[in-house]
Coordinates of all heavy atoms in Angstrom, one line a residue:
V24 N -25.7 -13.0 8.5 CA -24.3 -13.5 8.7 C -24.1 -13.5 10.2 O -24.2 -12.6 10.9 CB -23.3 -12.5 8.1 CG1 -21.8 -13.0 8.4 CG2 -23.5 -12.4 6.6
V25 N -23.7 -14.7 10.7 CA -23.3 -14.9 12.1 C -21.7 -15.0 12.1 O -21.2 -15.7 11.2 CB -23.9 -16.2 12.7 CG1 -23.6 -16.3 14.1 CG2 -25.4 -16.2 12.4
T26 N -21.1 -14.4 13.0 CA -19.6 -14.4 13.0 C -19.0 -14.3 14.4 O -19.6 -13.7 15.3 CB -19.0 -13.3 12.1 OG1 -17.6 -13.5 12.0 CG2 -19.4 -11.9 12.7
N27 N -17.9 -14.9 14.6 CA -17.1 -14.7 15.8 C -15.8 -13.9 15.5 O -14.8 -14.0 16.1 CB -16.7 -16.1 16.4 CG -15.8 -16.9 15.5 OD1 -16.0 -16.9 14.3 ND2 -14.9 -17.6 16.1
N28 N -16.0 -13.1 14.4 CA -14.8 -12.3 13.9 C -15.3 -10.8 13.9 O -16.1 -10.4 13.1 CB -14.4 -12.8 12.5 CG -13.2 -12.0 12.0 OD1 -12.9 -10.9 12.4 ND2 -12.5 -12.7 11.1
M29 N -14.8 -10.0 14.8 CA -15.2 -8.6 14.9 C -14.9 -7.8 13.6 O -15.6 -6.9 13.2 CB -14.6 -7.9 16.1 CG -15.0 -8.5 17.4 SD -16.7 -8.2 17.8 CE -16.7 -6.5 18.1
N30 N -13.8 -8.2 12.9 CA -13.4 -7.5 11.7 C -14.5 -7.8 10.6 O -14.8 -6.9 9.8 CB -12.0 -8.0 11.3 CG -11.0 -7.6 12.3 OD1 -10.9 -6.5 12.8 ND2 -10.2 -8.6 12.7
V31 N -15.0 -9.0 10.5 CA -16.0 -9.4 9.6 C -17.3 -8.6 9.9 O -17.9 -8.0 9.0 CB -16.3 -10.9 9.7 CG1 -17.7 -11.2 9.0 CG2 -15.2 -11.7 9.0
A32 N -17.7 -8.5 11.2 CA -18.8 -7.7 11.5 C -18.7 -6.3 11.2 O -19.6 -5.6 10.6 CB -19.1 -7.9 13.1
N33 N -17.5 -5.7 11.4 CA -17.3 -4.3 11.1 C -17.3 -4.0 9.6 O -17.7 -2.9 9.2 CB -16.0 -3.8 11.7 CG -16.0 -3.7 13.2 OD1 -17.1 -3.4 13.8 ND2 -14.9 -3.8 13.9
T34 N -16.9 -5.0 8.8 CA -17.0 -4.9 7.4 C -18.4 -4.9 6.9 O -18.9 -4.1 6.1 CB -16.1 -6.0 6.7 OG1 -14.8 -5.8 7.0 CG2 -16.3 -6.0 5.2
L35 N -19.1 -5.9 7.3 CA -20.5 -6.2 6.7 C -21.5 -5.2 7.3 O -22.6 -5.2 6.8 CB -20.9 -7.6 7.0 CG -20.2 -8.6 6.1 CD1 -20.5 -10.1 6.5 CD2 -20.5 -8.4 4.6
I36 N -21.2 -4.5 8.3 CA -22.2 -3.5 8.9 C -22.5 -2.4 7.8 O -23.5 -1.7 7.8 CB -21.6 -2.9 10.2 CG1 -22.8 -2.3 11.0 CG2 -20.6 -1.8 9.9 CD1 -23.6 -3.4 11.6
D37 N -21.6 -2.3 6.8 CA -21.8 -1.3 5.7 C -22.8 -1.8 4.7 O -23.2 -1.0 3.9 CB -20.4 -1.0 5.1 CG -19.5 -0.2 5.9 OD1 -20.0 0.5 6.8 OD2 -18.3 -0.3 5.8
N38 N -23.1 -3.1 4.8 CA -24.2 -3.6 3.9 C -25.5 -3.5 4.6 O -25.8 -4.3 5.5 CB -23.8 -5.1 3.5 CG -24.8 -5.7 2.5 OD1 -25.9 -5.2 2.3 ND2 -24.4 -6.7 1.8
E39 N -26.3 -2.5 4.2 CA -27.5 -2.3 5.0 C -28.6 -3.4 4.8 O -29.5 -3.5 5.7 CB -28.1 -0.9 4.5 CG -27.3 0.3 4.9 CD -27.9 1.6 4.5 OE1 -29.0 1.6 3.9 OE2 -27.3 2.6 4.7
S40 N -28.5 -4.2 3.8 CA -29.4 -5.3 3.7 C -28.9 -6.6 4.4 O -29.6 -7.6 4.3 CB -29.7 -5.6 2.2 OG -28.6 -6.3 1.6
C41 N -27.8 -6.5 5.0 CA -27.2 -7.7 5.7 C -27.5 -7.6 7.2 O -27.1 -6.6 7.8 CB -25.7 -7.7 5.4 SG -24.9 -9.1 6.2
E42 N -28.1 -8.7 7.7 CA -28.2 -8.8 9.2 C -27.0 -9.4 9.8 O -26.6 -10.5 9.4 CB -29.4 -9.6 9.6 CG -29.7 -9.7 11.1 CD -30.9 -10.5 11.4 OE1 -31.3 -11.4 10.6 OE2 -31.4 -10.3 12.5
V43 N -26.3 -8.8 10.7 CA -25.0 -9.2 11.2 C -25.3 -9.6 12.7 O -25.7 -8.8 13.5 CB -23.9 -8.2 11.1 CG1 -22.6 -8.7 11.7 CG2 -23.7 -7.7 9.7
I44 N -24.9 -10.9 13.0 CA -25.1 -11.4 14.4 C -23.7 -11.8 14.9 O -23.0 -12.6 14.3 CB -26.0 -12.6 14.4 CG1 -27.4 -12.2 13.8 CG2 -26.2 -13.1 15.8 CD1 -28.3 -13.4 13.6
V45 N -23.3 -11.2 16.0 CA -22.0 -11.4 16.6 C -22.1 -12.3 17.8 O -22.9 -12.1 18.7 CB -21.3 -10.1 17.0 CG1 -19.9 -10.3 17.5 CG2 -21.2 -9.1 15.8
A46 N -21.2 -13.4 17.8 CA -21.2 -14.3 18.8 C -20.7 -13.7 20.1 O -19.9 -12.7 20.1 CB -20.3 -15.5 18.5
G47 N -21.1 -14.3 21.2 CA -20.5 -13.9 22.5 C -19.2 -14.6 22.7 O -18.8 -15.5 21.9
G48 N -18.5 -14.3 23.8 CA -17.2 -15.0 24.1 C -16.1 -14.1 24.5 O -16.3 -12.9 24.7
I49 N -14.9 -14.6 24.6 CA -13.8 -13.9 25.0 C -13.2 -13.2 23.7 O -12.9 -13.9 22.8 CB -12.7 -14.8 25.7 CG1 -13.3 -15.4 26.9 CG2 -11.4 -14.0 26.0 CD1 -12.5 -16.5 27.5
V50 N -13.0 -11.9 23.7 CA -12.4 -11.2 22.6 C -10.9 -11.3 22.6 O -10.3 -10.9 23.6 CB -12.8 -9.8 22.5 CG1 -12.2 -9.1 21.3 CG2 -14.4 -9.7 22.5

């Protein structure tokens, strides 16, 4: 999962089989 949404990343971090990639940019 690639996302520019920190809330999505914080949710999916609990799925240990899911690789989470967070975009760079202005928060």
Side-chain angles (χ1 to χ4, degrees):
V24 179
V25 186
T26 186
N27 63 323
N28 185 335
M29 297 294 291
N30 300 311
V31 164
N33 287 332
T34 295
L35 287 172
I36 203 71
D37 291 332
N38 183 339
E39 294 183 359
S40 76
C41 178
E42 181 179 27
V43 181
I44 302 170
V45 180
I49 300 169
V50 180

